[in-house]
Structures are given as structure tokens and as C-alpha cells.
Amino acid sequence: IGLGIPAEPLFRSRDDSANVVRFRQIIEQDMKTDLLRKTKVTASNERGKKFSAKMLTDGKWDTYWATSDGVNTGSVTFTFSKPTQVNRLLLQEYIPLGQRVKAFAVEALAGDKWQMVDAGEPTTTIGYKRILRFPTIKVSSIRVTITESRGPVCLNNIEAYYANR
């Protein structure tokens, strides 16, 4: 009838479905402990207390960091209490207000110098959820800068992880 449903089964064997289960287990293990939960969070601009950068690490889906009207760029910095190994970064926009981010950059403070994090892919849109994987770096801070957005920045979640593999 043309409903877009494949005529053949999605998983051809038990091996296929077992691999999907194993893949999910690997992701869950890699993203077990959010390293940003206990960091100090600061932002270049905040719409107000209800939309502060702290909302990025509160674990709630319906809270978010937002910049003021007319402010379509901004940065948020997470500072660790001690140098920490990181190799994954998860970012989420507050989608009920639309996908806005067109470009962003991630930097890490390693030692006394900020350096760009090379995720091996363009850092354009974020959307509902974007996970960046990069070589392990030991950092004292991470900064995410929204360099271009269709309106005020509205991010509801940023998490960092260390996948020890």
C-alpha cells in the first residue's frame, strides 16, 4: 500500500537483534555518569533566573537556559573542581520552542590554554539531541559557544562523559 514499511524484516537474524542490544548496552555504559552535574556553570547571557545556565544540568526535560530577546549567540562554561577526562558531549535544544542553533563550537581548557575540541564532524545544528565523540582530553573547563542561531538560544541539556574504552 506504500506505507513506507519494508517488505523484508528489519532484523534478518538473531545476530542482528543481539548486536542492536549490545550496541545499546555500550551506549548506556559510555554515558553512565554525567560529569557536568557537579560543575560550576556560567553563561555569557541569561534571560533571567528561571532560564539560567544552571538549568542545563538539573536533569529536567522542561527547563532550559535561554538568552535574552535579540541575543542569538552566547556561551556557557562548565568548570570542574579538578581536572577531568572527557571524550563525549551531549547537547539538546528545547525543541518545543523549535530548532534554532545553526552553528556552535566546543572548547576545552586544558592546562592554561583554551583549545578547540575536534569531534571530527561539523558542529552545525543540535536539534533534539546531538552527541559528539572526540579523543579523550583532561580538562578543567568546557565551553560551548553558540555562534549562530535563528533566535534566542534555548538549550535544555548539556552533559559530558568519559567512555573508558
Side-chain angles (χ1 to χ4, degrees):
I1 300 179
L3 298 175
I5 301 171
E8 298 185 26
L10 183 60
F11 301 109
R12 295 183 188 272
S13 70
R14 288 184 189 187
D15 289 342
D16 288 347
S17 57
N19 286 335
V20 169
V21 169
R22 179 68 184 126
F23 181 64
R24 178 170 177 100
Q25 290 170 340
I26 289 169
I27 292 171
E28 287 175 354
Q29 183 61 37
D30 285 356
M31 303 180 92
K32 187 176 181 179
T33 305
D34 176 11
L35 301 171
L36 298 183
R37 281 285 170 111
K38 296 180 180 180
T39 59
K40 178 184 175 191
V41 186
T42 57
S44 59
N45 180 279
E46 293 176 332
R47 182 177 289 267
K49 187 175 180 178
K50 187 176 176 185
F51 304 103
S52 74
K54 291 180 193 176
M55 301 304 163
L56 292 167
T57 60
D58 68 359
K60 298 177 184 173
W61 183 83
D62 212 21
T63 61
Y64 54 94
W65 164 57
T67 56
S68 301
D69 286 339
V71 179
N72 297 356
T73 62
S75 65
V76 61
T77 303
F78 302 89
T79 303
F80 295 95
S81 59
K82 63 181 180 179
T84 303
Q85 292 187 91
V86 177
N87 57 14
R88 306 281 189 272
L89 193 68
L90 179 146
L91 303 103
Q92 291 182 275
E93 288 190 70
Y94 187 66
I95 291 300
L97 296 178
Q99 183 173 331
R100 298 175 181 207
V101 174
K102 295 170 82 173
F104 68 99
V106 179
E107 298 169 281
L109 183 60
D112 61 353
K113 185 176 181 179
W114 285 100
Q115 60 186 7
M116 294 300 292
V117 172
D118 182 10
E121 61 184 274
T123 50
T124 54
T125 61
I126 294 174
Y128 168 70
K129 187 179 288 186
R130 175 90 183 260
I131 301 172
L132 299 177
R133 296 174 57 192
F134 45 89
T136 301
I137 48 179
K138 195 168 195 173
V139 302
S140 53
S141 294
I142 292 177
R143 179 168 54 207
V144 176
T145 302
I146 307 303
T147 57
E148 188 178 1
S149 181
R150 290 180 178 88
V153 178
C154 293
L155 300 179
N156 73 324
N157 192 31
I158 298 179
E159 301 171 3
Y161 298 93
Y162 172 62
N164 189 8
R165 291 189 289 118

